[in-house]
Structure formats: C-alpha cells, structure tokens
Amino acid sequence: MRRSCKLLLAFLLLVTFVDLFKFWCSEDYRDWVEAEQDEIDLKSVFKRFDTQDVFTRWHTCITENLLWIDDPEKFWDDFMFASKRCDLRAKVQQIGIVTLKNSDEMKHVIFPKIYNFGPHNLFSIGIGRDIQAERQFRRKMKKLGNNVTFYGADPVSYINDDLYSQIGTYFPLAIGAHSGISNAMVMIEDGGYSKKSMIHVDILYFFKNLLNVTRIDNMWFDAEGAEFGDGFFDIFYRNGRFDQNGIDICQINIEMHKHQDYPERKTQFMEFVKRLIREKRFGIFAGDQYIHNRMFLFNFESQYCLRKFLNKFG
C-alpha cells in the first residue's frame, strides 16, 4: 500500500510539474505576468494634451539639433541623442506612446483614444522569428475592445510561417521600393544573416493591389538592406506614392540596419530624416540605436490618424 501511494504521489507530482511547465511556456503565463503593466499602458487612452503644442515644441527642438548636420556619419551617431532630448523637452509621452518589447528590441504604439473606432490593422514587414510585441499589442487592444487584423511578410518562411500564422496572415515575400530580383541580407536557419537573391514586391503594389488597403494603422518595418532601394522613402513624403494613391499611414516603427554592403545607408538615413523634419508631417520619436537606428513615426497631417489616435477633431 505504501509503495502504491508513493508511486501515485510521484505521478501526481510529475503531472503537476508538466502542467506548470506548460503554463510557464504559454501565452497565458505572459498575460498573467504582464497584467499589471497592461493596466498602466491602457490608461494612456485617457491622457489629455494639446496636440499642436507637443508637436511644435518637438519640431523646434529636433530642427535645432539635427538640420545643421551635413556629415552622414555624425548625423547617424547623433540621431538617438537628439531624439531622446527632444522627446523629453516636448513631453511627447503625453500623447500616449506605449512601449512593447520583442526579444531584442522595442516597438512603440499609440492606442486608439476612442472605444472600438472601426477596424484596426498591423503590418509586420520583416518578422525575424519574433512576434512577442505583436502578441502584446493584440492582448492590450482586446482589453480596449479592439480587434486587430495582422499581416506579416518575410521572404524566409522557416519558422516565420508557423509563428505568424498564429496571429494573422503570413506572406512569404520581401517588400521593397520596386518589384524585381535583388540581393538581400536575410536571417538563415542558424540565426545568422546571409546575402541571397530575393524577389521583391513593390510596397505600393502589396498594399493597393494585393490587399486593397487604403488605411494603415500600424506598420513595423524591419529590413536588412536591399528593401531601401531608390524611391522607397517616397511613400512617407508629402505627395509621394502613398499620397497619390490615397493611402493613409498613421504609425510606423522603422529600423535601419548599418551594413558594410550598403555604404550609402547613412546618407539615405540623413536625407530621409531631414526631409521628414522639413515637411512637418510626421513626428519622429523614440530614437534608439544599437548598431542599427530605430524610430517611431506618427502622422500629424492625416485627419484620420489624428481623430483615431489623438482624439483630435477638426
């Protein structure tokens, strides 16, 4: 009897351990651990602020700190410090910017200030085998009563296909400035990067013809190099390809990789950021640099974006 009791106890302990391990590895565990942070983040929708004042103070600061720099190397190196300085000076956190964490980076979002303001979408251009931030965003948005439609594109289907299909629609595509074949740095099976020939799909064709999308709430763009071909940044400019085709884009997380195969990258980066500053269309926030430069853009010119995310009508 004692032996059978011991065996039963050992079995129950094993079952309990397995169940605890499964829970520890599950999304439910992450939800439980992050529940307190969710409460803090969701309060961002109740923040009240003067949109024009925040943007004007930020724009004055970033103009003073960056527009005078003509050396691409210095611009690349100074960008993060200027961004953080101006975010603090303009108190941009007032508009409700929330930080989400992937395994090795952060994404930034602003939640809709109006409950259940129509359909919501998020596009992950470059998945990199990591959707932790997307899952956090989905969970927090559900708590706000908003459902999100996710679309992810990455030319490497290994892991990315099964992973992203858990939350949305996966496309085995490289998205770039133009359709065609070019070399791109892609993540390979061992987690490293290798240059491979890839078929790129024109980003305008992807949104307009394949998906029939005219409003982009969130776009997370993480590209290794070839995607930033001639004309790519045009989509963000006033009267650019998106504007000409009636596509509104509200929030963008963009990461620009520094790589020896793309020596022109720092010059492209400087020209891109300077033009955004001069056009006074996008706010450029949350600058961060660890080898690569990252930033969060919000469209202060689109009435759709202002109404939905900043509760500004006019």
Side-chain angles (χ1 to χ4, degrees), residues 64-76:
E64 293 171 351
N65 279 268
L66 288 180
L67 280 191
W68 63 272
I69 302 174
D70 293 322
D71 176 24
E73 288 282 345
K74 180 173 176 55
F75 193 95
W76 179 275

Side-chain angles (χ1 to χ4, degrees), residues 17 72 76 84 86 96 131 142 162 231 246 290 297 303 307:
F17 175 78
W76 179 275
K84 291 184 181 300
C86 294
I131 60 168
K142 279 186 176 180
D162 291 338
Y290 180 72
L297 311 180
Q303 289 303 308
R307 286 196 303 271

Side-chain angles (χ1 to χ4, degrees), residues 30-31 33-47 93-101 107-113 132-133 135-141 143-144:
R30 294 190 188 94
D31 292 350
V33 169
E34 296 172 2
E36 186 175 346
Q37 186 60 48
D38 283 357
E39 282 191 35
I40 296 171
D41 290 343
L42 300 185
K43 289 177 181 177
S44 66
V45 301
F46 300 112
K47 291 190 174 185
Q93 286 299 327
Q94 291 182 90
I95 66 176
I97 298 175
V98 169
T99 301
L100 309 173
K101 295 180 181 178
K107 304 293 187 185
H108 304 277
V109 297
I110 299 173
F111 294 123
K113 297 294 190 292
Q132 289 183 40
R135 282 176 166 154
Q136 291 168 38
F137 184 65
R138 180 180 64 172
R139 183 185 69 241
K140 295 173 195 289
M141 285 288 280
K143 290 182 178 181
L144 288 171

Side-chain angles (χ1 to χ4, degrees), residues 110-122:
I110 299 173
F111 294 123
K113 297 294 190 292
I114 301 174
Y115 179 80
N116 198 22
F117 189 105
H120 196 97
N121 56 41
L122 186 149

